[in-house]
Amino acid sequence: MLDAKGKFVANAALASRKDVRDAVVAARKAFGPWAGRTAYNRGQVVYRIAEVMEDRRPQFEDAVRQSEGASAAAARAQVDAAVDRLVWYAGWADKLAQVIGNANPVAGPFFNHTAPEPTGVVGVLAPQSSSLLGLVSVVAPVIVTGNVAVVVSSYDRPLPAVTFSEVLATSDVPGGVVNILTGDAAVLGPWLAAHMDVNAIDLSGVAGSADLATSLEVAAADNLKRVRRAPDAEPDWAAEPGLAAMTDFVEQKTVWHPIGI
Amino acid sequence: MASFEYAPAPESRSIVDIKPSYGLFVDGEFVDGRGTSFKTINPATEETLAEVAEASEADVDLAVRAARRAFRGWSRMSGKERAKYLFRIARIIQERGRELAVLESIDNGKPIKESRDVDVPVVAAHFFYYAGWADKLSYAGLGPSPQPLGVAGQVIPWNFPLLMLAWKVAPALACGNTVVLKPAETTPLTALLFAEICQQADLPPGVVNIVTGAGGTGQAVVSHPDVDKVAFTGSTDVGKAIARAVAGSSKKVTLELGGKAANVVFDDAPIDQAVEGIVGGIFFNQGHVCCAGSRLLVQESVADEVLSRLKRRMGTLRVGDPLDKNTDIGAINSSEQLARIRELSDIGESEGAERWAPACELPSSGFWFPPTVFTGVTQAHRIAREEVFGPVLSVLTFRTPAEAIEKANNTPYGLSAGVWTEKGSRILHMASQLRAGVVWANTFNKFDPASPFGGYKESGYGREGGRQGLAAYLKEAEA
């Protein structure tokens, strides 16, 4: 990988199709236990990622500066925002169900309620430009809702993702919950989109590549993956995210039971 | 038991006036289609009911244009005014309920007791429910000022022709969208009667457009470039084709697709209630239900007892004239569907499962299939994996709750599931472990406009009904 001025920084692993498949296997194995944890616990785990990241703040600032050619102030601001973003999502773990789920007043003697549940294994093509804030903004909503992720990092700017992987490995995130591959979304995306054991895919990383995004959506239709579409251009990740990144990857389960004595 | 035979109790069909031919409903008027026409028949008698226009691509284009023109006024109308139209439609549906029920049974083949007591009341309830949302959208949890999407292209199936129309049209209109709806080829008549109801309610022209036809017409609706939202209920294969067709577009999509629901009966279940639930789960609407409980998973220790009671109960089901009020199981909707049910049932036998059906005399004309149960079914059998969409139940057994969960989830589908046990904590555990959008515990096949419905996995995406159903038809306001 090169820095913003084209100077050699380090060699990053170039993930292959086989790596994608292995990551999906690891993710599937992790899904049940992760989804089964209490929302309180998942929130704590995500919050802990933010804490560990905060501890390694200088390293992240350097990584962002090198990758994006950002000024020191801009890199600092991006790391700030990334930490805040994780904390923001951490808090959603035990609140989302209260905001988007509800009891249903049906016309009959039934207990009836609807609550969100994770969709499963989510393939995430992380944003290409925003190497850290963008990455955190697409990974956090997936895992805080109980999903597990197979992430393809920014191709040209993988350094913050590598550092982020080290944070995940040394915080409380169980193995397999987040799998990060450094590589090319255009190469790995088709395998993820066509993988029959992947339940959803976030196409943020192919923003602006309409043809590629369309072909990935077509591939995703084979098992009716939930798709978060690629935007026309990479959005401003500093803006308040809203709920969509979470609601795109949850199902709503409705349970009925008769009421009686 | 023979001494208690019921006398025939047919519902009069004189209340319904079926025209010899129907055009399309576009921009508030019935118009001739530019394409060919096709016949819709009564599946119980094979009698031709009417000639119906097959909308061509050009017809669909006219309908979409009408919907686009109407969108301007309809979306800007205040929510409370839109609500009044929906309330009025709901009232007319109630007033004309008998007419709708009889017509539905004639065109679809479903028993009048179901069209009268389930379909039509739930249809009216949907319009009432969503009427009440029209002026409260900012409280739906979708942002402070959510906006309609535009023109909704909606394609619905033949199993619940009017109910699926209500599920699609009511929320779309409440949110300020306009609609181009294509009813199923074999069951277009109640949608065309609904068009008359729209006229009767003085709904502004173009807000609802109905284009009849087959797959080609549906494709034209779904792929029209000026359609902003696609809503489809039907087979998983067609759902996947739609997902491919809209790839790369900005169309919002909801898909309500097939299912292969597990109905799990534990050894502590109230057996008689469970048997009623099993029967309702698979034989309701001839089994033409995407969420039908078509895989019975029964705990091994009670399997013999459940099966013997189930067979005894099946022996009391009355198959025959859909317009007879005593009929439990009506006609199969079409010869194609009957052929599919027969094919999969024959495969069930050839793969080694044991087939049983009570002795029952089937009418000589029309399309009929007796209530049928297969025992000795394994997870690999095609009748346990593929959606039969008919009155055919596959029975599997299990020993432990973990095995029940494993088997129940062993399907690409995930629309619904059932659980029968007296133990509350077990119900909640099962409900959380079953990968399905709707879980009925100690009940089955219950529907209500306030209750979201939709699938996991290959049963599609999005929800219909409830507050969640609004999300399919709204977007956040653009800054």
Side-chain angles (χ1 to χ4, degrees), chain A residues 100 102 104 106-107 110 112 114 117-119 214 217 221-224 226 229 251-258, chain B residues 240 244 246 248-249 251 257 431 434-439 441-442 446 448 450-452 455-457 460 463 467-468:
Chain A
I100 67 166
N102 44 265
N104 305 309
V106 295
F110 292 94
N112 184 270
T114 300
E117 281 191 351
T119 295
T214 300
E217 276 192 58
D222 283 346
N223 67 339
L224 292 164
R226 281 60 176 143
R229 281 186 166 137
E251 303 291 340
Q252 292 276 3
K253 178 179 277 177
T254 299
V255 179
W256 291 70
H257 194 278
Chain B
K240 289 178 182 178
R244 287 182 198 109
V246 301
S249 75
K251 290 183 172 120
L257 309 175
L434 292 166
R435 302 287 294 161
V438 181
V439 178
N442 291 330
K446 290 286 180 289
D448 191 281
S451 182
Y456 281 40
K457 302 195 277 185
R463 294 294 177 267
R467 191 177 59 78
Q468 287 78 355

Side-chain angles (χ1 to χ4, degrees), chain B residues 119-403:
Chain B
D119 295 52
V120 171
V122 180
V123 167
H126 267 270
F127 279 96
F128 276 115
Y129 177 79
Y130 280 108
W133 267 119
D135 56 357
K136 299 169 193 69
L137 297 174
S138 53
Y139 297 93
L142 300 161
S145 172
Q147 300 298 309
L149 303 172
V151 175
Q154 309 181 319
V155 178
I156 58 172
W158 46 261
N159 57 341
F160 292 94
L162 195 58
L163 184 59
M164 293 300 103
L165 176 149
W167 282 23
K168 300 273 183 295
V169 173
L173 298 195
C175 295
N177 304 278
T178 56
V179 161
V180 176
L181 176 122
K182 189 199 85 73
E185 187 184 7
T186 59
T187 56
L189 295 184
T190 42
L192 294 164
L193 182 51
F194 177 79
E196 279 179 37
I197 290 172
C198 291
Q199 287 181 324
Q200 199 183 338
D202 273 331
L203 192 71
V207 170
V208 168
N209 304 275
I210 292 175
V211 289
T212 45
T217 307
Q219 213 168 5
V221 170
V222 166
S223 55
H224 194 290
D226 203 29
V227 161
D228 303 292
K229 152 80 191 178
V230 172
F232 172 75
T233 295
S235 75
T236 291
D237 283 346
V238 176
K240 289 178 182 178
I242 290 174
R244 287 182 198 109
V246 301
S249 75
S250 59
K251 290 183 172 120
K252 204 161 166 175
V253 188
T254 43
L255 301 171
E256 204 69 77
L257 309 175
K260 194 71 197 175
N263 204 357
V264 185
V265 178
F266 284 94
D267 58 5
D268 68 339
I271 300 289
D272 284 331
Q273 286 172 40
V275 167
E276 283 307 304
I278 295 162
V279 167
I282 185 62
F283 301 125
F284 175 64
N285 205 46
Q286 297 72 246
H288 301 330
V289 186
C290 48
C291 52
S294 55
R295 283 185 299 150
L296 174 64
L297 294 179
V298 57
Q299 199 154 17
E300 204 174 85
S301 49
V302 291
D304 290 344
E305 189 188 353
V306 168
L307 269 170
S308 73
R309 290 206 218 181
L310 174 65
K311 287 179 176 175
R312 196 176 64 196
R313 177 69 181 86
M314 284 168 66
T316 67
L317 292 171
R318 296 171 61 90
V319 184
D321 183 5
L323 286 186
D324 190 316
K325 292 165 195 167
N326 298 319
T327 293
D328 297 304
I329 297 181
I332 300 302
N333 181 250
S334 65
S335 62
E336 292 78 21
Q337 189 55 31
L338 181 58
R340 161 106 182 132
I341 297 168
R342 282 181 174 155
E343 186 198 346
L344 272 168
S345 299
D346 291 346
I347 289 168
E349 256 181 319
S350 69
E351 287 185 347
E354 192 183 328
R355 174 183 191 153
W356 183 88
C360 72
E361 206 178 308
L362 300 176
S364 53
S365 64
F367 316 125
W368 305 93
F369 198 88
T372 298
V373 59
F374 278 95
T375 50
V377 178
T378 73
Q379 296 183 81
H381 282 147
R382 279 182 64 188
I383 45 167
R385 304 211 67 78
E386 295 179 30
E387 191 176 33
V388 180
F389 224 65
V392 179
L393 178 67
S394 295
V395 184
L396 299 93
T397 59
F398 68 92
R399 290 184 179 175
T400 64
E403 187 187 350

